Amino acid sequence: MTQTTPKTARRRGRIFPELTLSPEELARRKAEDEQFYQRCWTIFQKLLPEFIKDHYGWYIAIEPNSGDYFIDQNKEVASKKAREKHPNVIHFLFGINETGVTGRI
């Protein structure tokens, strides 16, 4: 009769453990993201009544540092317009509707 050798359990972990972020760094990044979103959201709320009548269902890309915004029926085109004017700056994309959501579930 042959005996099988017991297999050792594989140790699972991160592929690159040196790239793990500390909880403090994660919290800092989350706070920065929330602050960025809130700056964009206030601009969006100011512009929404102006555009919701004629551009319902379109997209608006907002760059909060300058207050510039770019609208188009296609979200890729709106983002492209924002990147052309501000190439090294992050922008936020909203849908021109009651909630500002751009996608579907």
Side-chain angles (χ1 to χ4, degrees):
M1 194 170 185
T2 59
Q3 286 189 336
T4 60
T5 58
K7 291 187 178 180
T8 58
R10 289 191 179 185
R11 293 181 4 176
R12 299 195 182 262
R14 292 189 54 92
I15 296 173
F16 301 107
E18 65 275 3
L19 298 179
T20 304
L21 297 175
S22 68
E24 294 82 18
E25 178 66 15
L26 289 173
R28 185 187 65 79
R29 288 184 182 192
K30 186 174 181 180
E32 286 176 359
D33 290 346
E34 181 62 27
Q35 180 185 19
F36 177 77
Y37 170 76
Q38 289 301 326
R39 288 181 19 224
C40 294
W41 181 253
T42 55
I43 295 170
F44 175 70
Q45 288 297 321
K46 290 177 187 174
L47 297 172
L48 186 61
E50 178 183 340
F51 291 121
I52 199 162
K53 297 173 207 148
D54 299 327
H55 299 93
Y56 190 87
W58 287 33
Y59 298 95
I60 183 168
I62 298 176
E63 196 284 305
N65 296 331
S66 65
D68 290 344
Y69 57 90
F70 309 90
I71 64 169
D72 200 272
Q73 285 180 314
N74 188 330
K75 60 183 165 184
E76 285 84 14
V77 175
S79 288
K80 185 178 179 185
K81 288 178 183 179
R83 284 192 307 271
E84 286 174 358
K85 176 100 186 254
H86 303 283
N88 297 323
V89 180
I90 298 173
H91 62 275
F92 202 94
L93 189 74
F94 291 101
I96 300 177
N97 53 38
E98 294 83 7
T99 60
V101 177
T102 59
R104 288 190 256 180
I105 295 178

